[in-house]
Amino acid sequence: MIGDRYSVQKFGLTIFENEASDVPVDWRLDDLVFARVRAATGDDPTVRRITYPKDVFEPFYNPKTILIRDPGERLPTIVRSFTANANCDRYLVATTFKAELPNTHMTLNGIGTYNQGLGSLLRHSHLFANIAITLIDGRSYEEIKRPFVNFGANFAAGMRLTEDPLNKLDNSLFPDPPAAASTNAALRERTRALIVDRLDRSLPGYLKED
C-alpha cells in the first residue's frame, strides 16, 4: 500500500517558503513491492498478493488522533477486515510514513523528492522513500516484531561517509510544477531504483523462518 501518491516538497529559508504537493502517479510501485518479495523468497509459489478494498487503509494513514490510535486504525485490525478467507500463515504489509530529515525540522512524507537551499545555484535535490514493513500473524493477527531486522546492513548504510548516490537527484529532474512528476520517466525510474534498494535491504529479515 505505497504506490499511488508522490510527494514533491520544496524547502526555503523560512517555514513560509516551504511548499508541499501530493501528486497522483501510476508507477506500479505496489507491483514493485510484490516483485521484490517474490525475489527475496526465490519465487516461492506459496507467496501471493492479496487484493484489498479501495480506501481500506485510509484510517491508518489519516487517524482521528495522533497520540493514541483507535483499534480500528491499526494495521492488524485493518488487515483482518479483508482477509477472513485468505488462510495465510503471515501477512506482510508495506506502508509509507512521515520522517524528519536528519539535522532539520523538515518532514518528508512517504515517497517523493525534495529541493532545498538558497538561490538557484545553491539549491540541491534529493529522493526519499520512507517505507515500513509490518509482519502480521495470520491466526492471531498480532504483529510479529523484528526489532533487530537487518541491523548490520542498515548500520553500514548509516555509517556511509559519502552521500548515497541513489538519494541524490539532479536539479533538472526535480518536477516544476509538481504535477509534472507523474510524466517524468527519469524521475520514475530513479525512484523505483531507490525503493528496490530499501526493500532488498529490509525484506530478508522479515521473511526469514522463526
Side-chain angles (χ1 to χ4, degrees):
M1 181 56 190
I2 70 166
D4 61 355
R5 312 297 294 182
Y6 194 76
S7 181
V8 180
Q9 301 179 236
K10 184 176 288 188
F11 300 112
L13 183 62
T14 69
I15 190 173
F16 302 104
E17 298 174 278
N18 295 349
E19 302 173 12
S21 299
D22 199 19
V23 180
V25 295
D26 185 16
W27 292 356
R28 303 176 68 89
L29 299 184
D30 287 339
D31 293 348
L32 183 62
V33 174
F34 183 62
R36 300 320 300 165
V37 172
R38 288 295 302 270
T41 60
D43 287 326
D44 185 341
T46 66
V47 175
R48 57 194 176 98
R49 184 173 177 178
I50 297 177
T51 58
Y52 52 84
K54 180 178 174 59
D55 298 329
V56 72
F57 286 95
E58 183 66 18
F60 172 78
Y61 280 117
N62 296 290
K64 297 176 182 178
T65 59
I66 298 176
L67 297 179
I68 302 177
R69 281 184 179 269
D70 181 275
E73 298 170 341
R74 297 178 62 249
L75 279 179
T77 304
I78 293 173
V79 171
R80 182 195 288 266
S81 72
F82 62 88
T83 58
N85 299 316
N87 297 318
C88 288
D89 291 328
R90 299 175 182 175
Y91 299 99
L92 186 144
V93 188
T95 53
T96 61
F97 62 93
K98 295 179 181 180
E100 191 172 273
L101 185 65
N103 304 315
T104 75
H105 295 293
M106 299 181 294
T107 300
L108 303 178
N109 185 17
I111 296 170
T113 180
Y114 71 91
N115 182 270
Q116 178 187 15
L118 299 174
S120 59
L121 296 179
L122 297 178
R123 298 197 73 86
H124 49 90
S125 301
H126 300 265
L127 298 171
F128 58 90
N130 299 324
I131 300 174
I133 301 297
T134 303
L135 197 63
I136 298 171
D137 185 276
R139 294 173 178 79
S140 67
Y141 283 91
E142 294 180 355
E143 184 176 340
I144 301 172
K145 300 293 186 180
R146 294 281 195 256
F148 301 106
V149 61
N150 302 313
F151 174 80
N154 292 330
F155 180 78
M159 294 297 291
R160 184 193 297 269
L161 297 179
T162 58
E163 182 179 19
D164 187 342
L166 289 175
N167 288 96
K168 190 175 178 63
L169 184 71
D170 191 277
N171 285 335
S172 65
L173 294 179
F174 185 81
D176 190 12
S182 63
T183 56
N184 189 325
L187 185 65
R188 179 191 66 216
E189 292 311 307
R190 287 291 312 278
T191 300
R192 287 173 63 90
L194 178 62
I195 291 172
V196 167
D197 175 76
R198 297 296 181 265
L199 291 172
D200 288 355
R201 190 188 302 172
S202 62
L203 283 173
Y206 284 96
L207 297 171
K208 67 182 181 180
E209 294 294 332
D210 291 330

